[in-house]
Amino acid sequence: MTSPSPLRRTRLRPTDLLRLGMIGPRTRKMRTALSALGISLGIAAVIAVTGISASNQAHLLARLDRLGSNLITVTPGRGTDQQPAPLPPTAEKMLANIAPVQQVTATGATKAEVYRNDLVPKEQTGSIAVLATRLNLMDVLHATLLRGKWLDEASANLPVTVLGDQAAQRLGVTAPGERVRLGGQWYAVTGILAPNDLAPELATSALVGWPQATAHLGADGTAATVYLRTHPERVPDVQAVAGATANPANPSKVAVSRPSDLLTARNETKGALTGLVLSLAGVALLVGGVGIANTMVVGVMERRGEIGLRRALGARGGQIAAQFLLEAVLMGGIGGIGGLIVGALTVYGYALAQGWPASIPFHTVVAGPVVAVIVAALAGLHPALRAARASPTDALRSA
């Protein structure tokens, strides 16, 4: 008789391990569904919290940007004689070439004065400045009109003007269509500007199209004030180079406005909301991890008979641990993907209802399912090791 061959230790192939890992989800569908639902709700909470907070943050920051936190004003500085030093003719174009600058507009000085009619004494100017203006001034400054309409390509070449609200009041103009005496000629008023906190000097100005001012009102085509809209995160960088860019020969003779208090408020708001998002996400992940761990511990206790039988049939402790760990990872992956979908739908629905721009950070979209798997693996590690250490006889006795 031939002696039996000695027993050899076998290794589970990846496909076998996957089939073992699917035993629990297949045979306990309700518990698996509820476990995955718990994980999904945890990840959905993370996605929803971060997405809604990010959407709210984007909405608030956009409002601050519209108010002018990313607006820089470049004006002539003063020379050694304390007289204003005009900006070079190329200043506006050079400033527009700064990479983070998104929009540029300007106003230019003229030699004209404005009066209600030709009977008003010359010395009674009402302190109203006549300015040449670019057509995109309203857009860059986010200005609005009380009445009438703004200049366009056609009217920029015609004797028409738009008055600031205080200028209209001083001139006694109450509605578009009235005429004022400007530079010795009659100009029709097409609109009246609403007050604008970003450029209060416009309130006491009469604005004329750049071509008309250059041809008939003594404007030399040089910008007297340049307004820059920059990338919100690059305001300090643009501020640092604006003077040298506008006037490379004499950068000290250029006055560059500092970012307003709105920029400080913007940065503080962004930091506070980011900290809040991270804190809430951490809490949601902690709750999700505790739920997964509880589910896995209960699952091990319920399946002690199965564990004992497999150990009695020769399964090693590592194989038992791998089975339960894989079950946890599978539940985490399913729950993570489901939570991502539910959370994203929640964010987009809430943002749509509030009229906000929907925003879900890309790292959250990627990290959601990944974190679910990692948390599930960590939460299932202790129950898996506990199952691996179970004695076959004790497990069968307690089944």
Side-chain angles (χ1 to χ4, degrees), residues 19-29 32 303 306 323 327:
R19 281 196 292 268
L20 284 175
M22 290 298 296
I23 289 177
R26 284 203 311 267
T27 57
R28 294 169 173 80
K29 295 181 180 179
T32 300
R303 298 166 65 184
E306 175 190 335
Q323 174 187 346
E327 287 184 15

Side-chain angles (χ1 to χ4, degrees), residues 35-384:
S35 300
L37 178 62
I39 300 170
S40 295
L41 293 178
I43 297 301
V46 174
I47 299 295
V49 166
T50 55
I52 292 175
S53 298
S55 299
N56 187 13
Q57 184 185 63
H59 172 68
L60 181 57
L61 294 181
R63 291 187 61 188
L64 288 174
D65 290 342
R66 285 196 298 270
L67 290 174
S69 65
N70 63 335
L71 181 72
I72 293 178
T73 304
V74 179
T75 55
R78 294 188 179 274
T80 55
D81 56 356
Q82 297 304 309
Q83 295 299 317
L87 295 174
T90 59
E92 186 180 356
K93 183 177 181 180
M94 295 294 290
L95 289 168
N97 290 330
I98 301 176
V101 172
Q102 299 171 331
Q103 291 178 296
V104 177
T105 191
T107 58
T110 70
K111 297 179 181 180
E113 295 177 343
V114 58
Y115 302 94
R116 185 66 178 91
N117 53 53
D118 53 359
L119 301 178
V120 178
K122 297 294 183 181
E123 62 273 9
Q124 295 183 10
T125 63
S127 301
I128 300 173
V130 179
L131 301 177
T133 183
R134 299 296 187 189
L135 296 181
N136 64 339
L137 183 72
M138 290 272 290
D139 184 41
V140 175
L141 295 181
H142 298 153
T144 57
L145 289 167
L146 291 176
R147 290 175 289 277
K149 64 178 182 179
W150 180 243
L151 303 171
D152 54 28
E153 292 287 349
S155 60
N157 296 278
L158 300 176
V160 296
T161 182
V162 174
L163 300 177
D165 60 305
Q166 294 183 28
Q169 184 179 3
R170 294 175 187 178
L171 292 170
V173 175
T174 58
E178 299 185 37
R179 296 194 305 167
V180 295
R181 194 72 175 174
L182 199 157
Q185 304 177 46
W186 289 106
Y187 275 65
V189 177
T190 62
I192 299 175
L193 285 174
N196 189 297
D197 293 335
L198 299 180
E201 65 275 9
L202 299 183
T204 56
S205 301
L207 304 174
V208 180
W210 202 279
Q212 176 71 13
T214 303
H216 302 285
L217 300 178
D220 60 4
T222 300
T225 303
V226 182
Y227 302 96
L228 309 176
R229 281 279 181 181
T230 73
H231 189 283
E233 307 294 340
R234 303 291 300 277
V235 172
D237 298 334
V238 175
Q239 179 195 357
V241 302
T245 303
N247 191 347
N250 294 291
S252 61
K253 294 183 179 180
V254 179
V256 180
S257 69
R258 295 182 178 180
S260 65
D261 292 338
L262 287 172
L263 181 58
T264 302
R266 183 187 191 280
N267 293 334
E268 291 178 353
T269 299
K270 183 177 181 180
L273 290 178
T274 300
L276 176 63
V277 169
L278 294 177
S279 300
L280 294 177
V283 171
L285 285 177
L286 178 62
V287 173
V290 172
I292 296 171
N294 179 65
T295 300
M296 294 304 299
V297 169
V298 173
V300 169
M301 294 177 62
E302 287 184 344
R303 298 166 65 184
R304 290 181 65 85
E306 175 190 335
I307 295 170
L309 180 60
R310 290 199 60 219
R311 292 297 306 275
L313 292 176
R316 299 195 302 275
Q319 295 173 343
I320 299 294
Q323 174 187 346
F324 281 90
L325 190 61
L326 183 58
E327 287 184 15
V329 169
L330 289 174
M331 284 192 297
I334 296 172
I337 295 174
L340 175 60
I341 296 173
V342 173
L345 291 176
T346 302
V347 171
Y348 280 91
Y350 188 83
L352 181 63
Q354 295 294 326
W356 297 346
S359 175
I360 302 178
F362 179 73
H363 63 272
T364 303
V365 175
V366 175
V370 175
V371 169
V373 171
I374 294 175
V375 170
L378 293 176
L381 184 60
H382 174 69

